[in-house]
């Protein structure tokens, strides 16, 4: 009898625990919608941005020169409508139920995981990505090398892979998934690693073998795990704040280059673009800065993978009045990427320009710190697919097309860099 009572109690404990650790405590976005709001003047933009300030009913998903993409709580459309009317801007529905997109993504991930874990028909977890990295490293010991960037706030290892077929190659550094919810970035980075090692295509062989690749597929490891387990829409790191109950810092605002200057980041710990209490407050960012400093003489080009908007952004992020010394070259190189993507049958269009010029002021970003402080003359933020139809929840069917675009784009980009003399050994 005692035993039976014990077993029942045990079963209950397991049940309760199971529920609290299961899918049920994920943050849900039932009937949350995403609207694209088009505006013309700076005043309109200011008024519209007031909506997202308290992050209650409205949250900023993406911002371009003349559009705000807003995540809207169920029932808050009326309020948006009245501001849109007042400001004479226009709003267009893009996603009617965010949870529906998340659910079909989760379903696709579970289905693909059942028949063979890692792959590019779904989005992989950090665990799956690291297990796959180990397989790759074991399979190609002469060409690959594992490296460690450092440890995250929650104690996870930030890992990278170096691919080098021969000595005296120019170096290309790829930072990916610094923003947790931008899953297409790590999917693309891992696909590229696989192509570099396995493809027999001549273009890919040349690209792979004539450059040294330093690739960090998931930089913001804590945030990435959090997007898989708790909140699909998380962007920042996971270090708590000492002055607020809001968690995390935008790691792409935390580098020590024009940090918090010219309105390029927020000092509000609850904001999505919070710059942190001080530059390099985030252990991940400090670790990457130290790692890049230690190999900067080997790096000719740095690419930071982001989504979404289909853009190539170069320095500066802190001003649009001044342009970097090699701005014309940066534009020519960006155009080569865009043209190459355009030559594929998908019809995807990439625009390009300086970060502050075509997007918005953003300070303390990786590419600006590497350009300004480390002397790497070619640095870009690449904002992958799409332009808002699915946004961050890009269906897995887009992974390979997006990655193919990145591959031909990067090949053309490096070709142009070579032509302009940027791939000389330092
Ligand atoms: O805001 C960002 O950090 C990037 N866009 S995202 O939507 N992926 O968050 C763009 C950063 C570009 N600006 C600079 N590099 N300064
Ligand atoms: Zn990003
Ligand atoms: Zn080359």
């Amino acid at each position: 009898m005692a035993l039976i009572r014990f077993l029942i109690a045990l079963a209950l404990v397991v049940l309760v625990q199971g529920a609290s650790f299961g899918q049920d405590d994920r943050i849900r976005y039932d009937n949350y919608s995403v609207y694209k709001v088009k505006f013309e003047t700076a005043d309109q933009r200011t008024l519209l941005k007031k909506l997202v300030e308290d992050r209650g009913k409205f949250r900023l998903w993406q911002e371009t020169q003349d559009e705000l993409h807003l995540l809207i709580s169920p029932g808050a459309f009326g309020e948006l409508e009245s501001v849109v009317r007042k400001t004479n801007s226009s709003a267009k529905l893009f996603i009617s139920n965010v949870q529906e997109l998340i659910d079909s993504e989760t379903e696709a991930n579970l289905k693909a995981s059942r028949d063979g874990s890692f792959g590019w028909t779904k989005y992989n977890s950090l665990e799956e990505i690291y297990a796959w990295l180990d397989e790759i490293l074991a399979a190609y010991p002469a060409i690959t090398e594992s490296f460690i960037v450092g440890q995250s706030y929650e104690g996870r290892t930030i890992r990278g892979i170096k691919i080098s077929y021969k000595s005296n190659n120019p170096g290309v550094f790829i930072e990916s998934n610094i923003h947790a919810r931008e899953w297409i970035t790590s999917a693309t980075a891992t696909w590229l690693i696989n192509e570099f090692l396995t493809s027999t295509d001549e273009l890919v062989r040349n690209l792979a073998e004539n450059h040294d690749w330093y690739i960090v597929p998931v930089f913001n490891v804590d945030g990435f795990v959090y997007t898989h387990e708790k909140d699909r829409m998380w962007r920042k790191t996971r270090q708590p704040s000492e002055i607020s109950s809001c968690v995390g810092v935008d790691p792409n605002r935390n580098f020590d280059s024009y940090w918090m200057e010219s309105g390029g980041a927020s000092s509000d710990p609850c904001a999505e673009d919070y710059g942190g209490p001080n530059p390099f407050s985030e252990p991940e960012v400090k670790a990457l800065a130290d790692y890049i400093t230690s190999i900067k003489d080997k790096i000719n080009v740095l690419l930071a993978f982001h989504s979404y908007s289909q853009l190539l952004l170069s320095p500066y992020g802190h001003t649009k009045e001044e342009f970097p010394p090699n701005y014309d070259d940066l534009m020519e190189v960006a155009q080569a990427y865009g043209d190459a993507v355009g030559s594929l049958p998908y019809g995807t269009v990439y625009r390009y320009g300086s970060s502050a010029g075509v997007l918005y002021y953003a300070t303390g970003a990786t590419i600006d710190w590497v350009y300004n402080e480390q002397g790497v003359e070619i640095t870009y933020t690449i904002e992958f697919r799409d332009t808002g139809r699915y946004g961050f929840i890009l269906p897995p069917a887009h992974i390979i097309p997006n990655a193919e675009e990145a591959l031909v784009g990067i090949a053309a980009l490096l070709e142009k860099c070579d032509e302009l003399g940027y791939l000389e050994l330092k």
Side-chain angles (χ1 to χ4, degrees):
M1 204 49 206
L3 180 67
I4 287 174
R5 225 176 298 142
F6 171 76
L7 285 176
I8 290 173
L10 189 70
L12 274 171
V13 168
V14 168
L15 251 167
V16 169
Q17 294 257 336
S20 67
F21 290 122
Q23 298 232 352
D24 297 355
D25 65 330
R26 288 186 194 199
I27 291 169
R28 296 187 58 87
Y29 290 93
D30 294 293
N31 298 313
Y32 277 67
S33 52
V34 177
Y35 279 82
K36 253 188 203 183
V37 185
K38 255 198 154 62
F39 57 86
E40 267 152 27
T41 68
D43 289 347
Q44 286 177 322
R45 179 171 174 272
T46 310
L47 279 170
L48 287 163
K49 279 199 89 174
K50 277 216 158 50
L51 282 173
V52 297
E53 243 162 41
D54 65 357
R55 287 159 301 276
K57 295 182 206 146
F58 302 92
R59 270 156 66 188
L60 187 59
W61 244 34
Q62 193 63 293
E63 195 177 346
T64 64
Q65 240 169 355
D66 59 351
E67 284 172 11
L68 293 180
H69 301 182
L70 303 178
L71 175 68
I72 298 169
S73 331
F77 180 68
E79 202 174 316
L80 174 70
E81 217 177 9
S82 86
V83 178
V84 163
R85 209 176 309 117
K86 241 186 287 170
T87 54
N88 247 323
S89 43
S90 64
K92 198 173 158 198
L93 177 68
F94 259 74
I95 302 173
S96 57
N97 185 356
V98 169
Q99 189 60 42
E100 240 169 50
L101 284 185
I102 296 176
D103 286 346
S104 55
E105 183 185 65
T106 311
E107 223 168 275
N109 290 353
L110 286 172
K111 194 166 156 263
S113 288
R114 271 199 298 274
D115 38 68
S117 69
F118 191 88
W120 294 280
T121 55
K122 61 140 185 169
Y123 290 101
N124 305 288
S125 67
L126 185 67
E127 221 183 319
E128 288 168 332
I129 292 173
Y130 279 2
W132 173 78
L133 259 190
D134 285 329
E135 277 171 36
I136 284 287
L137 288 160
Y140 300 90
I143 305 146
T144 65
E145 200 178 295
S146 174
F147 66 87
I148 290 176
V149 173
Q151 304 298 123
S152 70
Y153 171 74
E154 290 176 345
R156 296 187 177 86
T157 302
I158 304 165
R159 299 182 57 181
I161 181 171
K162 180 182 174 189
I163 301 174
S164 178
Y165 280 85
K166 57 180 168 65
S167 51
N168 297 328
N169 273 338
V172 182
F173 194 101
I174 294 178
E175 173 211 80
S176 162
N177 237 159
I178 185 174
H179 288 141
R181 62 193 175 189
E182 296 166 9
W183 286 7
I184 185 62
T185 61
S186 47
T188 300
T190 50
W191 189 83
L192 289 175
I193 293 168
N194 191 58
E195 283 296 294
F196 292 163
L197 295 171
T198 63
S199 173
T200 54
D201 181 272
E202 204 183 309
L203 172 115
V204 185
R205 292 278 28 102
N206 278 327
L207 184 64
E209 293 175 19
N210 295 321
H211 307 84
D212 279 3
W213 300 90
Y214 300 80
I215 304 178
V216 179
V218 183
F219 172 50
N220 181 2
V221 283
D222 292 352
F224 186 68
V225 169
Y226 196 73
T227 56
H228 276 267
E229 294 180 353
K230 187 86 195 175
D231 181 0
R232 176 67 182 84
M233 298 329 304
W234 193 257
R235 165 179 168 99
K236 300 189 282 182
T237 59
R238 290 296 304 163
Q239 179 164 230
S241 162
E242 275 172 20
I243 54 168
S244 162
S245 60
C246 286
V247 172
V249 165
D250 184 344
N252 210 33
R253 300 292 183 280
N254 194 237
F255 285 83
D256 195 2
S257 185
Y258 299 93
W259 181 78
M260 290 298 270
E261 288 178 35
S262 54
S266 174
S267 56
D268 175 355
C270 299
E272 295 286 21
D273 63 343
Y274 176 43
N278 47 267
F280 296 140
S281 60
E282 304 314 283
E284 300 83 359
V285 174
K286 179 73 171 74
L288 185 62
D290 288 346
Y291 184 74
I292 290 177
T293 303
S294 76
I295 57 160
K296 69 172 175 189
D297 293 337
K298 298 178 185 158
I299 303 299
N300 297 71
V301 174
L302 178 132
L303 305 173
F305 287 179
H306 287 254
S307 74
Y308 59 95
S309 285
Q310 295 167 203
L311 288 172
L312 260 95
L313 304 165
S314 52
Y316 296 130
H318 71 284
T319 174
K320 49 182 172 188
E321 316 306 327
E322 280 170 60
F323 292 94
N326 63 336
Y327 181 73
D328 291 346
D329 288 351
L330 284 166
M331 292 305 103
E332 211 180 316
V333 171
Q335 192 187 337
Y337 186 106
D339 288 350
V341 171
S343 74
L344 292 180
Y346 301 118
T348 310
V349 176
Y350 271 73
R351 297 180 298 123
Y352 55 88
S354 85
S355 301
V358 303
L359 205 59
Y360 41 74
Y361 290 113
T363 52
T366 314
I367 67 151
D368 293 295
W369 178 80
V370 171
Y371 184 90
N372 295 325
E373 315 298 331
Q374 300 295 303
V376 176
E377 292 177 281
I378 303 283
T379 69
Y380 293 96
T381 298
I382 308 180
E383 302 272 3
F384 288 140
R385 289 189 185 195
D386 55 12
T387 56
R389 170 64 187 88
Y390 297 104
F392 302 113
I393 320 166
L394 193 67
H398 284 257
I399 295 174
I400 289 175
N402 184 78
E404 288 171 351
E405 289 169 351
L407 181 72
V408 301
I410 292 169
L413 176 149
L414 290 172
E415 193 57 48
K416 185 56 83 177
C417 285
D418 200 10
E419 206 181 298
L420 297 173
Y422 286 102
L423 300 188
E424 310 289 319
L425 295 185
K426 300 197 199 180

